[in-house]
Every structure is written in C-alpha cells, then in structure tokens.
Amino acid sequence: MELAYYSDYAVRLVNTEEPGRGKDSLTTVDTVRELFGASQDAARRATDADLTRFRSVRGRLRAVFEAADGGDEELAVNLLNSLLLEFPVSPQVSGHDHRDDDGKPLWHMHLADHPSNATAGYAAIAAMGLAFHLTEYGVDRLGLCEAAPCRNAYLDTSTNRSRRYCSDRCATRANVAAYRARKRLEAEERTERTDRTERTGRTAENAQDSTAPTER
C-alpha cells in the first residue's frame, strides 16, 4: 500500500467535526471504528476511552491544517513533528495481500497498526501519512474549505495547486453564493445610478426654475 494512502486518515478524522456548524460526529465507539476503514483488526481495539483520545488528536491535526492554510509553514511542520514524536510509526515491508500474475508477492511499504490501543495506532498512521503528503507535495497542499461555514480539511492534488474547497458540493455552493452576491451588487449599483440620475435631473429642473424670468 502506498504511503500517500495514509494521508486520508488525517482528513477523515479532522472532518468528523464541523466547528462552524457546531457538529461533531465522533460520539460513539462505532464512529471511531468506522474511521479505520478496511483495517478491522485495528478497529476492534477501539473502546470508550478512545473517544476522548481521538478528539484530542483530531484537534491537533486540525491545528496542522489551520497553520498550513494560514501560510505558516514552520508552525504546521512543528505541530506535525510533535505528533510524529508522540506517535511513532512501525514501517514494515508487506506483500501478503498483493500478488502479481505469477502469484509472487508485490512487496510494498506498509505502516503496521500499533498493538496497544486504537488511538496510538490511528494517530501514528494519520501523522505519517500527512507528513509524507506534506514533504512530497508541499505544505500549501494542506487546506481548509473556503465555503463558509464548512472549513473541512482537504489535500490538494490538483496539478496547478488551485483547489479551494473540500468537495464539488461546497465548490458549487460557493460559486452560487458568489454569483448571487455579484447580482446583488449589480442591482445596487443600478439603483444608485438611477437615483443619482433622478437627483441630477431634479437639480437641473430647480436651477431652470430659479433662473426663469418673472412674469409681469
């Protein structure tokens, strides 16, 4: 499994909370287990105690995205390094689930699950995946959705570093909002021009009245 795959672990965890909407879906052990995806062995280790620990790691991962999104590269790296130090990875060469046409193992790097508790294992994988993405593609590839109040995390994999939203849905919503805002501004400008024209016309009429000769 390619190491880039693991960066999605960080995004999945961060996006279980939507601070701008006051929503938090990380409320049960089952939601914690769902974050592991196909890694069922690691998911089964999750307990009620992991809820609080997962929320703590989530806040620290969001801080990395916030720093990167705000242009503070050094802070983003320092925050990520602190996670890497606290939750070290266990890399392994694996090939048991991948075979070529001749049945031979397709050897690849794999990040082993931490055996002690679910939070440590997930945090180690998420932090390492994010670190790989950051060093491979750049800190500016870590972003937060600009479609307020969303602010979901995303990883920019576009060729021209142009991504600004976490999903097509948010991009569409933001574009519609921008279009409506432009139309409102245009309508206000038209109204202002009309009012100005009417005021100018009235001023001209008053000026003509004041200079007209007095009838005798």
Side-chain angles (χ1 to χ4, degrees), residues 6 16 22 32-33 49 52 67 71 96 101 107 111 133 149 155 179:
Y6 293 110
T16 59
V32 169
R33 290 171 178 161
T52 301
H96 56 85
D101 294 337
W107 301 114
L111 299 184
H133 193 94
L155 298 171
Y179 173 80

Side-chain angles (χ1 to χ4, degrees), residues 12 54-55 71 117 155 195 213:
R12 289 206 301 267
F54 260 72
R55 291 192 187 111
N117 66 75
L155 298 171
D195 291 344

Side-chain angles (χ1 to χ4, degrees), residues 8-204:
D8 190 53
Y9 274 59
V11 174
R12 289 206 301 267
L13 177 54
V14 170
N15 291 346
T16 59
E17 182 182 30
E18 298 180 71
R21 294 189 174 103
K23 294 182 179 180
D24 186 350
S25 62
L26 195 61
T27 56
T28 67
V29 177
D30 285 339
T31 57
V32 169
R33 290 171 178 161
E34 289 172 1
L35 289 169
F36 284 92
S39 184
Q40 297 301 318
D41 290 339
R44 279 193 286 269
R45 292 198 300 269
T47 66
D48 288 334
D50 285 298
L51 272 173
T52 301
R53 292 195 289 255
F54 260 72
R55 291 192 187 111
S56 175
V57 172
R58 178 181 64 188
R60 294 170 66 182
L61 286 170
R62 175 170 282 279
V64 175
F65 278 91
E66 289 175 342
D69 189 68
D72 194 336
E73 294 194 4
E74 289 191 6
L75 178 58
V77 170
N78 288 338
L79 291 171
L80 185 53
N81 276 336
S82 69
L83 283 164
L84 291 169
L85 287 172
E86 185 173 345
F87 302 104
V89 297
S90 300
Q92 293 180 349
V93 177
S94 177
H96 56 85
D97 292 329
H98 299 75
R99 302 279 176 173
D100 62 16
D101 294 337
D102 296 326
K104 295 181 180 180
L106 295 173
W107 301 114
H108 59 279
M109 289 301 299
H110 176 79
L111 299 184
D113 294 324
H114 197 286
S116 62
N117 66 75
T119 303
Y122 194 97
I125 291 174
M128 186 60 195
L130 199 57
F132 176 83
H133 193 94
L134 184 151
T135 54
E136 183 73 9
Y137 302 107
V139 179
D140 59 341
R141 293 291 188 141
L142 279 59
L144 293 173
C145 186
E146 293 185 14
C150 178
R151 303 301 284 168
N152 272 351
Y154 65 82
L155 298 171
D156 185 1
T157 56
S158 64
T159 56
N160 57 354
R161 300 173 184 264
S162 61
R163 186 170 178 179
R164 297 166 55 199
Y165 307 104
C166 68
S167 64
D168 290 340
R169 180 182 178 183
C170 276
T172 299
R173 183 162 55 85
N175 289 334
V176 169
Y179 173 80
R180 290 175 176 171
R182 287 196 302 271
K183 289 300 181 182
R184 284 196 300 269
L185 180 60
E186 290 171 1
E188 291 171 359
E189 290 175 344
R190 283 196 299 270
T191 300
E192 184 178 346
R193 285 196 299 269
T194 300
D195 291 344
R196 187 164 56 246
T197 300
E198 291 177 351
R199 288 195 300 269
T200 302
R202 287 195 296 268
T203 300

